[in-house]
Amino acid sequence: MAPAAENSVKSGRSSIRLTPMEVPKASDVLANELRERILSGEYEEGTPLPPERELVVQTRMSRTTVREALRILEVQGLVRIKAGRAGGAFVQRPGGESMASSVALLIRGQQIRLAALLETREAIEPFCARLAAEHRTAQDLEALDAANDAIAAAGSELDSFLSANIDWHVAVANASHNELLMGMMTALSRAIYTATENEGFITDTVRSTTLRAHRSITRAIREQDPDAALRRMTRHVHSYAEAALAVDERVDITLPADE
């Protein structure tokens, strides 16, 4: 035996060294397993998951671990938890609201600037309007008209105006019938009207100009004119972005009239 190897054996030490390893939490492992089964379609929507005590027996994990895994899936919108004797965890497929909630968390968590929110809307919403003109249904038009009527009826009531304004922008996205755009625009619209200094920005002029722009865009969507819908929405959101940022910087401006 070579002297170096003999000395290593005699000392009882090995030259092999391992680095620290991160072991996933048991609740994450269980949540991942259930998530894959839900998303793959193995568990259909509305299917009840086994009760907690049965999951504990099947997985040999603690009740705390099982509960934490179910909470993870609930936050992700993949299960809904019902209390009571007929309750439990029931499978649901993620929808537009789930995406909107995730985007909203990202916006708040990263404290994304108003300018970035407005830039994103300028990039996305005109195309939503174009798709809406191509795919809108009678129900979509009713939602757009109802939101415009609510804006007109809001008068000087700021909260009512903002709520109806958000409803209209979300209705345009819904009329696109593109699930990703629907979720994105729902989160963006809510975030923009929360982040803007609305008290000093929403004047009578802004209200009337906004309503004219919305009705003009709605008309293009109703007439199934995608080019006009895109053009008018582009002008509307760009004008709003300039006005909102100017107010944010305390510059006195007014919105231009739309078509």
Side-chain angles (χ1 to χ4, degrees):
M1 181 180 293
E6 185 177 357
N7 290 338
S8 177
V9 171
K10 288 180 179 179
S11 66
R13 297 175 181 175
S14 172
S15 59
I16 300 174
R17 295 183 62 83
L18 298 177
T19 58
M21 293 183 292
E22 292 187 4
V23 179
K25 292 173 59 178
S27 56
D28 289 336
V29 173
L30 178 56
N32 289 340
E33 173 69 19
L34 292 172
R35 184 188 305 109
E36 286 305 311
R37 294 189 178 214
I38 292 171
L39 295 178
S40 69
E42 182 178 343
Y43 295 161
E44 296 182 359
E45 185 160 10
T47 300
L49 293 179
E52 278 186 12
R53 61 181 179 275
E54 189 173 332
L55 285 173
V56 169
V57 173
Q58 291 180 7
T59 63
R60 298 182 182 179
M61 293 180 177
S62 69
R63 182 172 289 246
T64 299
T65 296
V66 168
R67 286 181 176 175
E68 187 174 347
L70 293 177
R71 279 197 295 269
I72 291 171
L73 296 177
E74 184 180 22
V75 169
Q76 294 173 344
L78 294 174
V79 301
R80 67 182 187 279
I81 307 297
K82 292 176 60 177
R85 299 186 63 180
F90 295 83
V91 172
Q92 65 180 14
R93 303 304 293 265
E97 191 60 40
S98 296
M99 180 183 174
S101 298
S102 298
V103 174
L105 286 175
L106 174 65
I107 290 170
R108 294 188 64 187
Q110 295 295 321
Q111 297 182 339
I112 295 177
R113 298 170 297 112
L114 175 61
L117 297 176
L118 294 170
E119 287 167 355
T120 304
R121 185 165 79 163
E122 283 195 67
I124 294 175
E125 193 162 23
F127 190 66
C128 283
R130 181 183 186 87
L131 289 178
E134 295 174 347
H135 304 303
R136 97 291 187 277
T137 64
Q139 187 175 2
D140 294 326
L141 293 175
E142 289 176 5
L144 291 166
D145 289 338
N148 283 332
D149 290 344
I151 291 173
S156 59
E157 175 56 43
L158 181 60
D159 289 343
S160 298
F161 172 83
L162 293 174
S163 178
N165 204 359
I166 292 171
D167 288 345
W168 183 84
H169 284 277
V170 171
V172 172
N174 290 344
S176 77
H177 294 275
N178 181 302
E179 293 82 1
L180 292 177
L181 292 176
M182 290 159 62
M184 178 68 73
M185 282 309 307
T186 298
L188 275 177
S189 297
R190 292 171 181 171
I192 287 170
Y193 289 106
T194 300
T196 306
E197 293 289 342
N198 293 303
E199 288 288 349
F201 175 48
I202 305 298
T203 63
D204 289 341
T205 300
V206 169
R207 288 186 178 90
S208 61
T209 303
T210 296
L211 185 56
R212 286 200 305 273
H214 284 194
R215 283 177 169 164
S216 177
I217 297 164
T218 301
R219 187 166 60 253
I221 292 173
R222 175 175 281 106
E223 295 171 355
Q224 295 186 299
D225 187 340
D227 291 337
L230 184 146
R231 183 177 66 253
R232 295 173 190 179
M233 182 65 87
T234 297
R235 184 177 182 186
H236 174 53
V237 295
H238 181 70
S239 298
Y240 180 91
E242 286 189 328
L245 292 176
V247 168
D248 197 48
E249 296 170 1
R250 303 301 185 265
V251 177
D252 185 23
I253 52 84
T254 56
L255 284 170
D258 282 79
E259 296 177 50

